[in-house]
Amino acid sequence: MAGKNEMSVVVLGGGVLGVSSALQLAKRGAKVTLVTEAELCSGASGRSLSWLNSAGERSTAYHALRMAGIDRYRTLFAADPTRDWLRFDGGICWSANDVAGTRARHSYEKAHGYDSHLVSANTVAQADEQVNPGVMADEAIFNPGEGWVSLPHLVEHLVGELRALGAEIVEQAGKASVISEQGRACGVRSDKGELRADAVLVACGPWTPQVVAPLGVTIPDGSPVSMLVITEPSEQRLKTVLNTPRAAVRPNPGKRYALDHDWYENDIKLQSDGSYQINESVVAQLAQEASKLLRGDAALIPHSWKLGLKPIPGDGEPVLGELQSVPGCFVAFTHSGATLALIAAELLADEIITGEKHPMLASFRAERFG
């Protein structure tokens, strides 16, 4: 039963950032209503490779946030290591004909304490014996601390906790907008009507910039189109996440694999109804490229694929926290939604409830865009 003095918050967005944030708010005693345009996890979270990592080069603040995000997943993993939708078996990455670049990346990772090892075709089996050494570059990087999560499974898990805490979930609400009065956010308006609240969190993936634009807030949007393919069950037993020049691959529950990349971006076509389509031959080609990465003759067969925008802010860095020009309106817009989902939810929930800004989010405010 909601208390008379508890804070009310509407969360816009049924992906992993929205659901995770709603749960953290509910745990802190807020009266939470989660509103999503269609079904839960029907957007970017339903088609994410969801590789848990902080590999490569990025700002110090972004790396620290991602590492904290991975830490929260390790806590979740420790609670039940038998879950088949969250694993920490490492990641392997290589580039085409760029030994110097690979070594530079490895050195950079080592310089700030990221667990990074160079492997070759002769030693890659020590990382994962299912990797086909015949297609590898001369050298690759193995990051044993990395993992992956199936976001639809994670969202289902979080939603169970959210409902148990009494939060309301409104699906199929259509496009929603933020209501503001006297310059302050005070609710949302959707096809399901108006909901008044003390605060609003906008976590609408690639649509976040469009939702806040009517409030006079500009967030540059670099979201590209993307595709995630889920395979038929396979007898292959790859454990690591592979990020290679022609295919990225990770295990998926049910003995399946999730595949993606970006070389076919121009083959994804926007339809008049707003949906996206791609020729099945391109899907088959991605599966063929992924199959080459694995030992043995068993080919990976596409079972299903999803197309849509992949959320990426214009400068690549997350946008998190309260909008200075619209008090009471908070945003969560980031490319690394999977890696950051649990930690960003904690920090945002604390800010919304207490009004105190967290120092880890200082670099990620929308106001950096001017």
Side-chain angles (χ1 to χ4, degrees):
M1 181 69 68
K4 291 183 179 180
N5 299 319
E6 69 186 353
M7 187 176 193
S8 60
V9 185
V10 175
V11 177
L12 277 182
V16 68
L17 274 169
V19 171
S20 185
S21 297
L23 176 59
Q24 291 299 326
L25 285 161
K27 285 183 174 180
R28 286 158 176 75
K31 179 183 178 182
V32 180
T33 305
L34 178 72
V35 179
T36 183
E37 178 182 0
E39 298 175 352
L40 292 169
C41 208
S42 60
S45 291
R47 42 183 162 76
S48 169
L49 188 69
S50 45
W51 166 31
L52 305 177
N53 78 95
S54 189
E57 297 188 27
R58 50 181 47 87
S59 70
T60 300
Y62 194 11
H63 174 67
L65 191 62
R66 291 176 74 111
M67 292 303 291
I70 294 171
D71 172 77
R72 296 306 190 274
Y73 276 105
R74 288 197 172 279
T75 300
L76 181 62
F77 177 76
D80 183 0
T82 66
R83 291 182 174 124
D84 64 355
W85 47 264
L86 174 61
R87 307 300 303 170
F88 282 97
D89 295 305
I92 301 174
C93 172
W94 69 79
S95 301
N97 304 316
D98 187 13
V99 173
T102 297
R103 291 181 177 177
R105 174 171 172 163
H106 168 65
S107 296
Y108 178 88
E109 292 176 350
K110 293 283 287 184
H112 59 266
Y114 197 66
D115 199 359
S116 182
H117 304 265
L118 287 175
V119 295
S120 67
N122 292 329
T123 61
V124 69
Q126 297 172 19
D128 194 326
E129 60 185 13
Q130 290 298 314
V131 177
N132 178 9
V135 299
M136 278 185 59
D138 291 336
E139 288 185 329
I141 297 173
F142 173 49
N143 302 115
E146 296 177 351
W148 61 270
V149 61
S150 169
L151 292 185
H153 290 80
L154 173 61
V155 166
E156 182 181 12
H157 171 76
L158 298 177
V159 164
E161 293 188 40
L162 183 60
R163 292 189 190 277
L165 290 173
E168 182 180 1
I169 298 176
V170 180
E171 298 183 78
Q172 306 295 344
K175 296 288 186 182
S177 59
V178 178
I179 303 171
S180 64
E181 293 178 355
Q182 299 180 334
R184 182 177 182 85
C186 58
V188 302
R189 183 180 293 111
S190 73
D191 292 349
K192 296 294 182 74
E194 288 190 4
L195 285 168
R196 294 284 169 155
D198 298 311
V200 176
L201 171 62
V202 180
C204 300
W207 308 114
T208 299
Q210 291 186 26
V211 173
V212 301
L215 302 173
V217 177
T218 299
I219 299 177
D221 183 16
S223 302
V225 290
S226 66
M227 172 175 71
L228 186 78
V229 176
I230 301 297
T231 71
E232 296 284 358
S234 170
E235 293 306 311
Q236 302 284 7
R237 290 293 176 266
L238 182 77
K239 296 187 300 180
T240 53
V241 179
L242 300 183
N243 189 359
T244 78
R246 293 289 292 176
V249 185
R250 69 154 168 84
N252 200 60
K255 298 182 180 180
R256 302 176 188 268
Y257 289 91
L259 321 175
D260 88 345
H261 214 275
D262 60 7
W263 54 260
Y264 45 75
E265 187 175 310
N266 291 333
D267 294 305
I268 301 174
K269 305 300 182 183
L270 178 63
Q271 305 301 297
S272 59
D273 63 357
S275 65
Y276 292 90
Q277 286 191 356
I278 194 168
N279 192 294
E280 289 192 26
S281 65
V282 180
V283 179
Q285 186 177 354
L286 176 62
Q288 290 168 8
E289 298 285 0
S291 298
K292 295 175 186 177
L293 301 173
L294 309 180
R295 285 183 182 270
D297 300 324
L300 297 177
I301 307 299
H303 169 73
S304 61
W305 50 95
K306 294 182 178 180
L307 305 158
L309 294 173
K310 176 187 294 186
I312 301 181
D315 64 356
E317 297 263 310
V319 185
L320 300 166
E322 189 173 24
L323 299 177
Q324 194 173 63
S325 60
V326 191
C329 184
F330 296 75
V331 295
F333 177 40
T334 179
H335 169 47
S336 47
T339 300
L340 297 186
L342 303 184
I343 185 62
E346 284 185 26
L347 303 186
L348 287 167
D350 282 343
E351 284 203 355
I352 293 169
I353 297 297
T354 68
E356 298 178 5
K357 297 191 184 307
H358 197 285
M360 288 190 78
L361 301 184
S363 300
F364 307 122
R365 309 288 174 181
E367 288 69 40
R368 71 178 184 268
F369 299 114

